[in-house]
Amino acid sequence: MSVTNLNEIDKADVLVAGLRKHTKELPELGITTDAINRMEELAIVLRQKDAEVDELRRKVTLKAHENLELIADLKAQMLIMRKAVNARYPQYEWIKYGVQDKR
């Protein structure tokens, strides 16, 4: 959970708890029970959504590592094949086999 979101959720929880202790005074402040319930509900939903975001971040990190491994394997395979062509044919024929000369 992001620190910013966690801090805001904690502040909302403390505020809700404090306001609920003084419900008789709240109408004077223009604060309704519905508004407190809404704030409490928003904190709960934010906590759930933030957990979902964290899970998605973990999945993205795993997928990114998988891609890095695949890229490394692909490069290794291409190197083997390019070397085979380079060793067998003169440089001017490499392009026929898809080997690009980057010199």
Side-chain angles (χ1 to χ4, degrees):
M1 181 175 287
S2 75
V3 175
T4 302
N5 290 352
L6 181 59
N7 287 340
E8 293 304 313
I9 292 168
D10 289 343
K11 288 177 189 177
D13 289 343
V14 170
L15 183 58
V16 166
L19 291 173
R20 289 205 191 278
K21 290 179 185 176
H22 302 281
T23 53
K24 292 180 182 176
E25 301 166 31
L26 296 181
E28 298 171 15
L29 302 171
I31 298 173
T32 65
T33 305
D34 288 341
I36 295 171
N37 292 341
R38 174 77 175 130
M39 185 171 53
E40 187 174 37
E41 182 182 315
L42 287 171
I44 290 167
V45 171
L46 179 57
R47 186 176 281 117
Q48 292 168 347
K49 294 296 181 183
D50 213 40
E52 289 175 21
V53 168
D54 285 345
E55 180 60 26
L56 290 171
R57 283 187 182 125
R58 281 189 286 278
K59 288 180 181 179
V60 166
T61 299
L62 289 173
K63 291 294 181 183
H65 287 297
E66 288 174 12
N67 276 1
L68 290 175
E69 290 174 9
L70 288 171
I71 288 170
D73 191 24
L74 177 65
K75 285 182 176 184
Q77 291 298 312
M78 290 183 345
L79 181 62
I80 291 168
M81 293 178 194
R82 280 195 308 264
K83 282 185 175 183
V85 170
N86 292 356
R88 173 91 168 138
Y89 299 101
Q91 184 177 356
Y92 64 88
E93 290 188 21
W94 293 352
I95 196 68
K96 290 191 311 187
Y97 298 93
V99 177
Q100 301 175 18
D101 182 23
K102 294 287 184 176
R103 292 186 205 179

